[in-house]
Amino acid sequence: MSNETLVSVENLGVRFAVKRGGGWGKASYLYAVDDVSFEIKRGETLAIVGESGSGKTTTALAVARLVEAYQGKVNLDGTDFLSLDDEASRLARAKMQFIFQDPYSSLNPRLRAEQIVREPLDSLSTMDEAEKKEIVDRLFAEVGLRPEQQRLFPHQFSGGQRQRIGIARALATQPDLIICDEAVSALDVAVQAQILNLLRKLQADLNLTYLFISHDLGVVQHMCDSIAVMYMGRVVEHGTRMDLFNNPLHPYTSALLSAVPSVDKARREATKRILIPGDPPDPVNLPAGCRFANRCPVAQDICRSQDPALRDVKGGHKVACHLVGEDAVSPL
Amino acid sequence: MEPLLKVENLRIELTTRAGVAPVIDNLSFELGAGESISFVGESGCGKSMTALSIMGLLPEKVGRIASGSITFNGEELTTASPKRLRDIRGNDISMIFQEPMTSLNPVYTVGEQIAEVIRAHQGLSRKAAWNQAVELLDAVRIPNAKGRVSDYPFQMSGGQRQRVMIAIALACEPKILIADEPTTALDVTVQAQIFDLLNDMKRQTGASIIMITHDMGAVAEMAERMIVMYAGRKAEEGPVEQIIEHPRHPYTRGLISCVPHIMSSISQERHALTEVPGIVPSLSDFGQNRCLFASRCNMVTQKCVDERPPEKPFANGQKAACWFAEEV
Ligand SMILES: Nc1ncnc2c1ncn2[C@@H]1O[C@H](COP(=O)(O)OP(=O)(O)OP(=O)(O)O)[C@@H](O)[C@H]1O
Ligand code: SF4
Ligand SMILES: [Mg+2]
């Protein structure tokens, strides 16, 4: 595997204006993505995990310029993607494709499968029809669909097959980065396994890079090379798959991992469940200190007054917690 | 001793445009007092239909019990009057659903909704019922229950709404609680709290739990016994630990090994997931006299397509409907 960085995100910020209590009051902001930084190496998979509303999707959308970032940088293969003009960004965006959760609503029901897969080529390139046809044929084979299925409409496919069409469409422009936002969450487990195997095979064959968002930590563990854990718009821990699963450092990461129900008896017996009662704070009215302090089992005074920064504690394993020292030992 | 709930040779037919099909095809199982059992399988295999039939809530005109019996505490439910079934639903068997928002009434506060159930069930005064609603919210660990009791459902998070649903279910002091994918829409940390809550409740009240889920990990954590459903039929039944250790039906084996589980330690290398090829058959293929899993099975022989396999019992309590169960 190369060591070349394909995507580097620096201090990314997305905020939404929200009105509280009506009237003419000044708008306040919800910082959905707050000072987020991470890197993805070419050919690897970065997973983003975190609870609902923690900012995973918004981060992905901002990386692809589908929502506007008010601060920060996205470096894509050496170009400063967010500062490109519209035309240049349209071309660069072809190098970045999405696969969404819902295989039902993300495909245009009036188009045939073959048209859906060809569409990104139509809008981007100057290829002739024969070339496009060849690419579409190849894509159908690559994702495991039969040639005669090209003429069918989305409703004539099963959920897993629809997800295959979505993958073929995403591959059409030969992207470097594919963003999978809960791409297998709506599928039954058996079909999910088929799609996960396909994604990993395509990654190996085409040297694809994935930004993989999922709430299923078993799936994440299987798919990723590194992980960013988000909590309330922040990355609270970022490291390799081995670091995160075998030596979680942030109390939220530990709680998250301990909550996953497991078929493995040894794991069930070895894991002490770390309960985090209560709810996250109001995202529009954030507390002064650590955003996790009100639920954190080991919070100290400093946690309620100072906001911990994300810092490297051990060879690239980064964590944002006051109680993790240079020894990289979990405070729990 | 008579089991609390006994389902025998149950057949439920659904009428669709394509004709009449058995969504539940000759299902038998028992549930003891204080026991917890899980139903697993892919969507469309009849898990929810089983629950709805026990509750007497099959979709009207579309679904009907064609044959078989469901007895609760010795009483036959398939022939019970609608009034009697309502009575049982209010008092003895409660159900919580996947999406708590659709089962709560948006225009009443959660306190009003819990108190109403308490009043109907225990005939308490308004004031006493309200106080008990606060106690129940506290019991399901809603912080500041006294304040939150006057909230409307939309003012609560998904996890809190699911806890309100559990509070309502508990208000009836049911003997059986049926939970249909109760945590699918929730974050794992919230799911862990809901599971804890259900286990506590079971310990305290001695209620039995039927949980429907697609997550084997959840089964391992919540149930003593499990039933694997496939295309309206029971594929396998038995003690959870034993089935996970050694499944006796190829479908169960597939369900367990196709999922990437988190094991006690994560190793560097990863293998491709075992695939169960294909998908669940459509309703119009249900009910045929053959193994309905045959088209996806890697052990299939001619016998499997010629005749429906009977259930084979094993000494440890496992039962599997596969011609080659001993060899799995
Ligand atoms: N268009 C918008 N306008 C206002 N607020 C928004 C908008 N989009 C997202 N948000 C808010 O931003 C925060 C982050 O949302 P986001 O969808 O990124 O979370 P997520 O981690 O993807 O959650 P999930 O797991 O539920 O998909 C949430 O508080 C959300 O309510
Ligand atoms: S900074 Fe303090 S409150 Fe935040 S996670 Fe670390 S210990 Fe807990
Ligand atoms: Mg999202």
Side-chain angles (χ1 to χ4, degrees), chain B residues 302-320:
Chain B
Q302 188 58 40
K303 195 170 177 63
C304 312
V305 273
D306 287 344
E307 201 181 336
R308 174 175 177 175
E311 196 167 73
K312 275 192 200 151
F314 288 82
N316 68 0
Q318 261 171 276
K319 301 173 200 168

Side-chain angles (χ1 to χ4, degrees), chain A residues 16-18 30-33 50-59 67 181-182 213 215 230 283, chain B residues 187:
Chain A
F16 298 108
V18 287
L30 183 158
Y31 290 83
V33 178
E51 60 190 19
S52 178
S54 57
K56 306 181 295 294
T57 298
T58 310
T59 300
V67 300
D181 191 356
E182 302 283 2
I213 298 174
H215 69 277
M230 290 190 73
Chain B
D187 288 315

Side-chain angles (χ1 to χ4, degrees), chain B residues 44 65 86 108-109 126 149 213 223 245 267 269 272 280 285 289:
Chain B
I65 295 178
R86 245 192 331 271
Y108 294 103
T109 65
R126 238 168 244 288
V149 69
T213 176
E245 177 86 26
S267 62
E269 77 182 312
V280 177
D285 288 329
N289 181 26

